[in-house]
Amino acid sequence: MLEFFKYNFMAAFAICGLMYVIGEWVSTITKAWVPSVFVTACLMLLGYWHGVPHDLVTDSVLIPFGASTGIFLLLVHMGTIISFKQLMEQWKVVVVALAGLAGMCLAGYFVCPLFMDRSFVIAGLPPLTGGIVAASIMQQAAIAKGMTAVGVFAIAMYCVQGFAGYPLTAIFLQNEGRRLIKNFRAGKSDANGVTEEQAVLAAAAVRRKLLPSVPKKFDSAVVVLLKLGIVGYLATVMGGVSFGPVGKISGAIWCLLLGVLFTSIGFLDENSLTKCNSFGIVMFALMMYIFDGLKDCTPEMLKSIILPLVQLIVTGVSGQLLFAFIAAKIVKLSIPLAFSVSLTALYGFPPNAVITESICRALAENDEEHDYLSGILMPAMIVGGFVTVTITSVFVAGIFEKLF
């Protein structure tokens, strides 16, 4: 009988699904105060420590899709829910995100060496400001210098930084969401007498279509995916083009920009992945690919470097929030939103989208409220993630790898 219940790729898929669903349930029950990504990450980490196969996500065969096609489909999809107007309005987010990263680097570089090894600071700061690319750069630089433990520290920072970022973001984004929804329900207007609801509807109306819609009888789920795939392919092509002094622009950024462009002319459907009922499976595959990075974070690894990890995270995040606060005051951006945007550096995309969507779903009582919250919070969080993780962290890593 026991031989009948043997482990295989479908068992791995089911285990991944169970952990992901538990995270969603906890988030729903707690009204997103406990973010789903935090719960699932904890379950995955504990699972790896207590018998879950080391290659669980690999065995589920989710990685090939999530690490490639899934990322580009989801990034293009994000462009289908953001207008050019909303994108251009995010300059305040860019300023706050950059200020937060500056505060994190300054606090970490000048304060942490007072009570921890400087090599750990150099290796850990770039992953703290970004994602796996920055972590890989620092790991390789440390190993090249013969500092194996320091290389492990860089990867460990990448693995655990989200455990600080997820709950903090949930707190700040919840506060911002509650403020926004309260004003929305009260019909609060600006100095010109325009309510926030009217402003959102007006912004949506700007998205005029140049191309006719596909006839309903031909507009299947695969047609929607095909159009997303075409735009995603164009993004990969553009990502290989060098633009003079600027150099190459990440294909991920092109996905967002082209997604917005092709939605504005009518080629892509608004909220595409949701329309073709594919958002859930794409997000699931992509998040499992992200969580796969936890498999190498062993209890022994954490025990050996937990103190400097905590010291660097606390110091860096404190400097980050201080500078974000100052910048938000200057550009007149909501403080809770400014903190949320800055904290995207600790996890990036797609957790920023998952947390935002969870909070919008938890706070909204109907589709109109959900669309209103998503229309304000999602562009800010997505742009924040691009500024911190996708763009700036790589430059930070390029500078710090020369400091060993």
Side-chain angles (χ1 to χ4, degrees):
M1 177 61 76
L2 290 177
E3 292 182 359
F4 178 77
F5 295 101
K6 58 186 177 182
Y7 176 78
N8 58 22
F9 68 98
M10 285 309 302
F13 181 91
I15 294 171
C16 290
L18 177 62
M19 294 184 181
Y20 193 84
V21 166
I22 292 174
E24 290 187 325
W25 286 349
V26 172
S27 178
T28 300
I29 293 170
T30 62
K31 297 289 185 181
W33 281 113
V34 181
S36 60
V37 288
F38 176 74
V39 177
T40 303
C42 289
L43 290 175
M44 294 288 289
L45 191 60
L46 291 173
Y48 285 130
W49 291 353
H50 298 286
V52 167
H54 180 266
D55 294 323
L56 175 71
V57 183
T58 301
D59 295 340
S60 71
V61 204
L62 287 167
I63 288 182
F65 174 74
S68 54
T69 305
I71 291 177
F72 275 68
L73 287 177
L74 192 58
L75 286 171
V76 175
H77 164 77
M78 288 302 163
T80 70
I81 61 177
I82 303 173
S83 68
F84 269 120
K85 182 177 184 295
Q86 290 171 314
L87 202 58
M88 293 301 102
E89 288 174 346
Q90 301 308 316
W91 67 269
K92 294 182 180 180
V93 165
V94 174
V95 171
V96 169
L98 291 176
L101 286 182
M104 175 181 284
C105 291
L106 289 173
Y109 188 77
F110 290 105
V111 177
C112 285
L114 299 177
F115 46 77
M116 61 182 287
D117 192 305
R118 182 174 176 272
S119 61
F120 280 149
V121 176
I122 294 173
L125 267 177
L128 187 60
T129 67
I132 186 61
V133 175
S136 298
I137 291 173
M138 299 314 298
Q139 180 196 36
Q140 293 168 11
I143 291 176
K145 295 289 185 178
M147 298 183 289
T148 304
V150 175
V152 171
F153 184 82
I155 295 301
M157 178 61 75
Y158 163 72
C159 291
V160 304
Q161 61 180 341
F163 289 95
Y166 300 149
L168 285 175
T169 302
I171 293 171
F172 294 129
L173 209 56
Q174 273 272 3
N175 288 333
E176 179 67 5
R178 289 182 183 279
R179 181 188 70 82
L180 289 171
I181 206 67
K182 180 181 179 180
N183 291 343
F184 179 79
R185 290 168 182 168
K188 185 177 180 180
S189 61
D190 60 20
N192 298 316
V194 178
T195 66
E196 294 186 70
E197 179 179 10
Q198 291 170 333
V200 171
L201 292 175
V206 172
R207 301 179 78 161
R208 307 297 181 187
K209 309 302 180 185
L210 298 178
L211 301 177
S213 302
V214 176
K216 190 172 182 179
K217 62 181 178 180
F218 298 117
D219 196 17
S220 67
V222 178
V223 169
V224 177
L225 290 171
L226 168 63
K227 292 188 289 184
L228 286 172
I230 291 172
V231 176
Y233 167 71
L234 292 177
T236 65
V237 173
M238 294 300 293
V241 177
S242 181
F243 293 86
V246 178
K248 294 181 180 180
I249 300 174
S250 170
I253 296 176
W254 280 114
C255 278
L256 182 66
L257 295 177
L258 293 180
V260 175
L261 172 63
F262 280 91
T263 304
S264 67
I265 66 175
F267 179 74
L268 292 175
D269 304 273
E270 293 185 10
N271 209 359
S272 289
L273 284 178
T274 301
K275 178 182 178 180
C276 63
N277 297 315
S278 302
F279 180 81
I281 185 62
V282 173
M283 184 63 78
F284 172 52
L286 186 48
M287 288 305 301
M288 283 300 112
Y289 161 62
I290 298 297
F291 291 142
D292 183 61
L294 294 172
K295 68 184 180 183
D296 295 319
C297 186
T298 64
E300 292 73 23
M301 178 193 296
L302 275 184
K303 287 178 183 178
S304 65
I305 56 181
I306 187 65
L307 182 58
L309 274 176
V310 172
Q311 290 172 332
L312 184 55
I313 290 174
V314 171
T315 305
V317 171
S318 297
Q320 178 187 42
L321 296 184
L322 174 61
F323 274 56
F325 177 83
I326 295 171
K329 284 293 186 181
I330 295 173
V331 301
K332 294 181 171 25
L333 185 68
S334 162
I335 300 301
L337 182 59
F339 286 169
S340 300
V341 165
S342 294
L343 288 167
T344 58
L346 301 183
Y347 44 83
F349 182 87
N352 55 350
V354 176
I355 293 173
T356 306
E357 174 62 21
S358 297
I359 287 175
C360 291
R361 191 170 59 245
L363 296 179
E365 294 181 354
N366 51 54
D367 290 341
E368 289 76 17
E369 291 184 355
H370 175 276
D371 292 344
Y372 169 72
L373 285 176
S374 181
I376 295 175
L377 299 180
M378 191 66 80
M381 293 296 286
I382 294 301
V383 171
F386 272 119
V387 171
T388 55
V389 176
T390 308
I391 302 174
T392 313
S393 68
V394 179
F395 288 103
V396 173
I399 295 171
F400 272 72
E401 70 172 330
K402 298 179 176 64
L403 298 178
F404 281 121

